[in-house]
Amino acid sequence: MAQNLYGPGVRMGNWNEDIYLEEELMKDFLEKRGKGQLLIQRNRRLKENLLRPMQLSVSEDGYVHCGDKVMLVNPAHAEVEAHLFLGGDLSLCATPDEIKAHLSDELEVPCGLSAAQTRIPVGRNTFTILRADGNATGQVLRYGQDFCLATTGGFEDKMLYLSSDHRTLQKSSKRSLLQEAYLTDEVSYLSCWQAAFLDPQLRLEYEGAPVPVSSRLLKMMWTAYPGPLPRFQPVSLLSCPSTHFGKEAEVAVHTHLDSHRVEKPSNRWMLVTGNPRKDSSTMLDLPKPLAEAPPALEQATDPGAQ
């Protein structure tokens, strides 16, 4: 009975074509690996830049200045709707689209935003305060003053600005469908922000006063839209989607008010600078004063305490 003695080693017909195809695929793979163009190499470089350690500015007079490198942190708070929020201190971070992150080693514009449970300054959560007119770097930032927030994302030749625009049917935040916050490389009135004092009853009195470091305030957007649209909108935290960096909170531009018409804790942000006592740390790492510690407060209010 005749037997089929042909195989891939014969190098003829379709077997020969398969061998050449495998050789071409291996040659293309080695060429891309040598040039660093593989998807896994691009994604690794992007994450290395986004997670690169950064050094925050240290304030000598206790105030925030234009040109300082800071973190935008939403302090820990107990929300009634706990299932919609993450716990702990949340810092504003640049979060590129997951599909684009696998295809490119640079930040694509527009770039998304999220809030992560991290207090370590890295490339994706370090922002630079810039004046809206681009002049007088080093001046003290004041309440009610227009300024821009820019980040490099860990790259040396990138500068993206925190921006937002009114929502439309085609453009809104993915989960909450509210006004979207994003990063773009164009400076416009959509990238102008203001700091407002936390207490609404004293907000007018503090207009023009310098902004202290690590003080709880509202980051509010300035727009030039006329008509019934609101002029100011605070940045807020909403649901908790999952990103390729883990579980993080979605960031949107919306005013959340309580029964007293006061902004909720999800609208409160801090400009956190570096810790002068220790390298690579923030002002959040400083211990609380003894007068604010829970044991001291309990002893002061308890008559029978020794």
Side-chain angles (χ1 to χ4, degrees):
M1 187 174 181
Q3 296 181 356
N4 188 2
L5 301 179
Y6 294 101
V10 178
R11 289 182 177 272
M12 63 179 296
N14 295 334
W15 293 295
N16 193 31
E17 182 179 351
D18 293 340
I19 291 176
Y20 279 115
L21 182 60
E22 292 179 0
E23 292 178 355
E24 288 294 329
L25 291 176
M26 180 58 67
K27 181 180 178 180
D28 184 62
F29 170 78
L30 295 177
E31 183 180 359
K32 287 185 176 180
R33 189 181 67 176
K35 296 181 179 180
Q37 297 179 353
L38 296 178
L39 296 182
I40 188 173
Q41 292 175 325
R42 292 180 176 180
N43 184 257
R44 185 179 298 138
R45 285 197 299 268
L46 177 62
K47 287 188 175 181
E48 287 178 355
N49 288 323
L50 291 175
L51 301 178
R52 178 182 300 176
M54 303 292 287
Q55 187 71 33
L56 299 180
S57 301
V58 177
S59 177
E60 298 180 357
D61 55 1
Y63 297 110
V64 181
H65 300 78
C66 296
D68 288 352
K69 293 184 178 180
V70 298
M71 290 174 54
L72 274 78
V73 177
N74 180 260
H77 54 83
E79 280 284 351
V80 178
E81 301 174 347
H83 63 285
L84 297 179
F85 298 89
L86 290 175
D89 297 329
L90 303 178
S91 61
L92 187 66
C93 301
T95 306
D97 185 77
E98 189 170 357
I99 297 179
K100 294 181 180 179
H102 288 284
L103 300 178
S104 176
D105 55 354
E106 296 183 356
L107 289 176
E108 299 291 336
V109 235
C111 180
L113 290 165
S114 64
Q117 293 176 316
T118 177
R119 300 168 64 175
I120 302 176
V122 292
R124 64 187 297 244
N125 65 359
T126 302
F127 291 83
T128 303
I129 300 176
L130 302 175
R131 282 185 55 123
D133 53 7
N135 299 324
T137 300
Q139 287 188 355
V140 177
L141 182 67
R142 300 180 181 277
Y143 289 108
Q145 177 185 354
D146 295 337
F147 64 94
C148 298
L149 288 166
T151 179
T152 60
F155 296 87
E156 297 180 355
D157 55 347
K158 265 302 188 190
M159 184 65 76
L160 301 181
Y161 300 90
L162 177 63
S163 306
S164 182
D165 196 1
H166 290 285
R167 64 173 180 174
T168 61
L169 294 177
Q170 293 80 20
K171 186 177 182 180
S172 62
S173 57
K174 295 181 180 179
R175 295 178 64 91
S176 59
L177 301 180
L178 296 174
Q179 184 171 325
E180 183 183 18
Y182 55 90
L183 295 172
T184 182
D185 55 353
E186 297 180 358
V187 182
S188 65
Y189 62 91
L190 299 177
S191 57
C192 292
W193 303 81
Q194 290 184 1
F197 192 69
L198 183 62
D199 191 348
Q201 297 181 353
L202 300 177
R203 195 165 295 169
L204 185 60
E205 284 77 359
Y206 274 85
E207 194 81 12
V211 178
V213 297
S214 303
S215 61
R216 300 193 179 189
L217 46 88
L218 298 176
K219 301 307 302 174
M220 309 185 75
M221 190 187 80
W222 173 81
T223 67
Y225 282 92
L229 294 176
R231 187 181 180 189
F232 295 103
Q233 290 274 10
V235 180
S236 63
L237 298 176
L238 287 173
S239 51
C240 306
S242 296
T243 66
H244 54 287
F245 292 99
K247 190 175 183 181
E248 299 181 354
E250 183 184 68
V251 178
V253 180
H254 186 73
T255 307
H256 294 274
L257 301 176
D258 57 14
S259 59
H260 300 284
R261 304 291 297 175
V262 178
E263 291 83 1
K264 290 185 177 180
S266 58
N267 287 129
R268 301 170 185 173
W269 295 83
M270 295 190 303
L271 295 175
V272 180
T273 57
N275 184 0
R277 304 180 185 178
K278 188 177 180 182
D279 296 336
S280 301
S281 63
T282 66
M283 292 292 291
L284 296 175
D285 300 327
L286 290 176
K288 292 184 179 180
L290 296 178
E292 298 181 5
L297 293 177
E298 293 177 0
Q299 293 178 5
T301 55
D302 188 4
Q306 296 181 355

